[in-house]
Amino acid sequence: MKDIKIIFFDVDGTLIDMNKKEISTSVLTALQELKKRKIILCIATGRSPIALPHFDQVTFDAFLTFNGSYCFNHEHTIYKNPIPLKDISTIVGNATALNRPVAIATSNQTVANGKDSDLIEYFSFAHQEIVLAENFDEMINKEEIFQLMLSSRKEDYATIMQNTSDAKIAAWWDRAVDIIPSSSGKGTGIAKILDYYGLDQSQALAFGDGNNDIEMLQSVGWGVAMANASDELKAIADEVIGHVADDGIYHYCKAQGLI
């Protein structure tokens, strides 16, 4: 672990216990110690830029948001890849046929054409409330949309994505989905960020817990899954560590001499 120069962290279920909805003191300490050692810290999340968490006394260096569709640091936009308009319109139509409201996210705002209990809870993980927009259809035609969000179970995925060509589902919860460009994903975002900083894949470490983290763990030199991770993620991870509720990241970084 001596050659690690950058670490990518998923947020919900990895840095933050989804039951407590906050970061622990021990994991916060780990982040502070990693910063002292000049390791680049990058959030890698399905959240939007406006829903990123803010932790006391820790400033992340880079941000991979919308599951890789919009990546930036404090100085530059590193990469952006909006969803094609034709696919947005198709997905909204498919969701409407299923009586599912849809939220659309630009780089600076997230609005919806309705809400249901699953979508409300989905937003609550990031301490957000759903904002309804009367000009929803107008926004679709005028704004760069990086992610769609709607409540869905796996059995509805095919219907929701019917007749789309350049969009895909990135799911980390079993009752809602994020939809991003098919050419995006956390793996794509990581490649763009590594290139920006002039780093090799072997110098990168990543922590995750959901299926939308599969590409991320496959795109770094060492991919780590939490004990609370999905079975699919654990199957491809280089290592499985402690549960988020048991400060898995802190204990792992300590054991590996990273802090």
Side-chain angles (χ1 to χ4, degrees), residues 34-53:
L34 290 168
K35 283 283 287 187
K36 289 179 182 177
R37 300 204 177 192
K38 308 300 183 183
I39 293 175
I40 298 170
L41 303 185
C42 180
I43 281 180
T45 180
R47 294 193 189 196
S48 70
I50 62 172
L52 290 172

Side-chain angles (χ1 to χ4, degrees), residues 75-182:
E75 291 80 34
H76 303 287
T77 297
I78 296 172
Y79 174 70
K80 66 176 183 175
N81 185 18
I83 304 172
L85 174 59
K86 59 182 178 61
D87 281 339
I88 296 172
S89 299
T90 298
I91 293 165
V92 170
N94 292 343
T96 299
L98 290 173
N99 198 30
R100 304 283 172 78
V102 178
I104 57 174
T106 70
S107 62
N108 58 16
Q109 63 178 322
T110 301
V111 299
N113 62 0
K115 51 187 173 181
D116 59 23
S117 59
D118 286 341
L119 197 59
I120 290 170
E121 186 170 356
Y122 198 49
F123 271 61
S124 76
F125 294 136
H127 301 285
Q128 282 190 299
E129 293 185 359
I130 295 172
V131 176
L132 302 182
E134 292 183 2
N135 63 337
F136 184 85
D137 294 332
E138 182 181 341
M139 285 185 62
I140 288 176
N141 288 292
K142 290 186 175 181
E143 302 280 351
E144 286 186 319
I145 309 298
F146 293 97
Q147 187 163 275
L148 307 179
M149 291 148 284
L150 67 152
S151 59
S152 177
R153 288 358 188 234
K154 280 188 177 180
E155 56 265 29
D156 294 325
Y157 286 6
T159 301
I160 288 168
M161 301 305 293
Q162 187 174 5
N163 297 322
T164 62
S165 57
D166 296 300
K168 67 180 180 181
I169 285 174
W172 55 268
W173 196 45
D174 61 356
R175 288 162 47 198
V177 295
D178 300 331
I179 298 175
I180 60 174
S182 56

Side-chain angles (χ1 to χ4, degrees), residues 54-73:
H54 298 280
F55 303 134
D56 291 340
Q57 301 175 14
V58 174
T59 301
F60 278 77
D61 301 289
F63 307 90
L64 183 160
T65 63
F66 298 133
N67 291 294
S69 294
Y70 189 73
C71 305
F72 60 98
N73 61 15

